[in-house]
Amino acid sequence: VISKTMASMFVTRVITRVPKVPILMPCRFSRRRLPPEYRKQYLEKISNGALDKYRKSDFVPYPALKTQRLWEVQPQEPEKETKRLYQELVPHFIDPRYRDRLRERLERHEMMLRRRNLDMPEFYVGSVVAVRTADKFAPNQSHRFLGICIERFNEGLWTKFTLRNVIEKTAVEIQYELYNPTIQSIEVLLLEKRLDRNLLYLRDAPLDESRFPFDMSRIPYNPSDPVPINDKKVKLLPPPWAFKWYLHGYRGIHDTMYDYLTPQQLSEIQDKINLVDRYDLMKMYRSRLCLEEERIALRDVQIQHQDLIRHHEQRRQELMDKHKETQRTDKNTAYGGR
């Protein structure tokens, strides 16, 4: 019986006596098949003379601005009506280094196509909204939830909003995607704004602040009037709280709630005030959208808005023609029966 040690020594001696065979690579992996950037052979795209001539010439990004230079053109104020109706279509609070203009334009096109099948009314944080979604497990294959909008975040195709209401002494929150295909209808029962960008502090408030009847009737409003602002001050429950609301500068919280703060919490507020981020000009620039970018986006939205109106008018005319044709057929059938 040959031991394992002797067998391994025999195999090692055989391998050392085998001549080394060169490894042949396929033709597709050879050096002459590699792209130029791997062979360090870069072709000159433009000559230095042409580049200097381009730098000295007047740069005109748009053909419509041939009579004026770019720095002489004053950006126009975007239409307030378009910005109000399509607030999530305008990119905002995005660092310019991470923006993709082509992706934003394609997303705006997809969102306008979605609006052809769903009426998306105007609403803000603080409005009372009722949303009906498709649910195959529901009795009527749909589910309706009503509540106050406490949060609206993200932008574009990923816009989300959260509704809050009280059901049987229990606070319930449901988060929806605005452009989710399962949403069947969105109805605004009470249109108003609050003093803050979100109402997350309602989680620490009494349940009466979030309770709305599910059979609430719609309160009419004139679209031409400005959106009413509700300056209500909310009194929260005693601590402990769900999050540190005192660090966010909420204006909709009653001033008496600051009496519950401890010295340590007051020092946290002071540290928040003394932060140097508010003096960072580049951070402010990167967190705000310039007027020129907003004007370009709204111009694209305005064109698609006209297409949307044209589509609705065409659809309305088709339905009217279909209804008239049905009435005419019914009359002919009735006369033929007589």
Side-chain angles (χ1 to χ4, degrees):
V1 179
I2 302 176
S3 62
K4 295 183 179 180
T5 306
M6 296 178 62
S8 61
M9 293 175 60
F10 176 75
V11 173
T12 305
R13 290 177 181 177
V14 171
I15 292 176
T16 54
R17 293 181 180 180
V18 174
K20 295 183 179 181
V21 180
I23 301 176
L24 300 178
M25 295 181 63
C27 184
R28 63 176 181 271
F29 295 116
S30 62
R31 190 173 183 81
R32 60 187 178 86
R33 291 284 184 174
L34 293 176
E37 55 267 21
Y38 290 97
R39 298 200 307 266
K40 302 298 181 181
Q41 297 179 3
Y42 298 99
L43 302 178
E44 188 177 5
K45 299 296 182 181
I46 185 172
S47 61
N48 294 331
L51 184 60
D52 294 338
K53 183 179 179 181
Y54 174 76
R55 289 173 177 172
K56 295 179 182 179
S57 62
D58 295 335
F59 173 63
V60 181
Y62 304 106
L65 303 179
K66 290 183 178 180
T67 57
Q68 291 178 310
R69 297 181 180 179
L70 181 63
W71 52 85
E72 296 177 354
V73 178
Q74 297 295 333
Q76 301 177 357
E77 185 71 21
E79 297 185 9
K80 296 182 179 180
E81 184 70 16
T82 306
K83 186 177 180 180
R84 183 174 61 87
L85 294 177
Y86 304 99
Q87 51 182 318
E88 72 277 355
L89 271 71
V90 180
H92 54 281
F93 304 116
I94 293 184
D95 194 329
R97 297 174 297 177
Y98 307 107
R99 288 186 56 197
D100 190 346
R101 273 71 175 180
L102 178 59
R103 177 186 59 81
E104 293 174 1
R105 188 171 184 180
L106 294 176
E107 287 180 0
R108 285 195 293 266
H109 180 67
E110 291 294 331
M111 288 186 285
M112 297 302 291
L113 291 179
R114 172 60 178 155
R115 285 176 177 265
R116 293 186 177 185
N117 302 321
L118 177 64
D119 182 20
M120 296 183 182
E122 173 191 6
F123 67 94
Y124 303 90
V125 172
S127 303
V128 181
V129 185
V131 179
R132 183 178 296 276
T133 57
D135 187 2
K136 64 179 180 179
F137 300 104
N140 298 327
Q141 302 294 318
S142 63
H143 175 264
R144 182 178 182 270
F145 185 78
L146 180 146
I148 181 174
C149 181
I150 65 172
E151 187 181 19
R152 184 167 179 169
F153 57 99
N154 289 347
E155 64 180 12
L157 205 58
W158 292 275
T159 303
K160 298 181 181 180
F161 62 97
T162 306
L163 301 183
R164 178 183 175 89
N165 205 340
V166 178
I167 302 176
E168 296 182 358
K169 299 182 181 180
T170 303
V172 179
E173 294 183 4
I174 299 181
Q175 186 179 105
Y176 296 97
E177 295 181 358
L178 185 60
Y179 290 91
N180 193 331
T182 60
I183 295 180
Q184 297 178 348
S185 65
I186 300 177
E187 183 181 4
V188 179
L189 304 179
L190 175 61
L191 180 65
E192 66 178 12
K193 287 183 179 180
R194 289 294 184 97
L195 298 176
D196 303 307
R197 293 179 56 186
N198 59 68
L199 303 179
L200 298 180
Y201 53 82
L202 290 181
R203 298 171 180 174
D204 296 322
L207 296 180
D208 294 338
E209 299 291 342
S210 306
R211 182 180 285 110
F212 295 91
F214 278 84
D215 56 349
M216 177 180 177
S217 58
R218 180 176 178 272
I219 299 177
Y221 66 93
N222 189 2
S224 60
D225 295 340
V227 180
I229 299 178
N230 189 353
D231 56 352
K232 181 180 180 180
K233 299 285 187 176
V234 179
K235 288 187 177 182
L236 306 182
L237 296 174
W241 297 302
F243 73 111
K244 299 181 180 180
W245 54 266
Y246 47 85
L247 296 179
H248 297 271
Y250 287 117
R251 296 181 297 170
I253 298 179
H254 204 273
D255 297 337
T256 57
M257 300 308 302
Y258 288 91
D259 298 337
Y260 291 92
L261 300 181
T262 61
Q264 182 180 0
Q265 293 172 343
L266 293 176
S267 63
E268 292 181 6
I269 297 177
Q270 189 65 29
D271 295 340
K272 181 77 173 181
I273 295 175
N274 296 333
L275 283 178
V276 297
D277 289 350
R278 59 177 180 166
Y279 303 106
D280 193 347
L281 299 181
M282 288 303 300
K283 185 177 181 180
M284 296 179 185
Y285 167 74
R286 290 170 179 170
S287 61
R288 299 174 184 176
L289 188 68
C290 65
L291 187 60
E292 181 66 21
E293 292 282 349
E294 186 177 6
R295 185 182 65 84
I296 294 175
L298 288 178
R299 182 178 58 185
D300 189 16
V301 172
Q302 184 68 22
I303 296 175
Q304 298 182 12
H305 175 66
Q306 298 296 332
D307 294 340
L308 181 63
I309 295 177
R310 195 178 302 110
H311 170 77
H312 286 319
E313 290 294 333
Q314 183 179 0
R315 179 62 177 170
R316 177 173 170 271
Q317 188 65 30
E318 291 177 357
L319 293 176
M320 291 179 61
D321 295 343
K322 185 177 180 180
H323 180 66
K324 291 180 181 179
E325 184 67 24
T326 305
Q327 288 184 344
R328 191 180 302 109
T329 305
D330 294 342
K331 288 182 180 180
N332 295 336
T333 305
Y335 291 149
R338 292 180 182 177

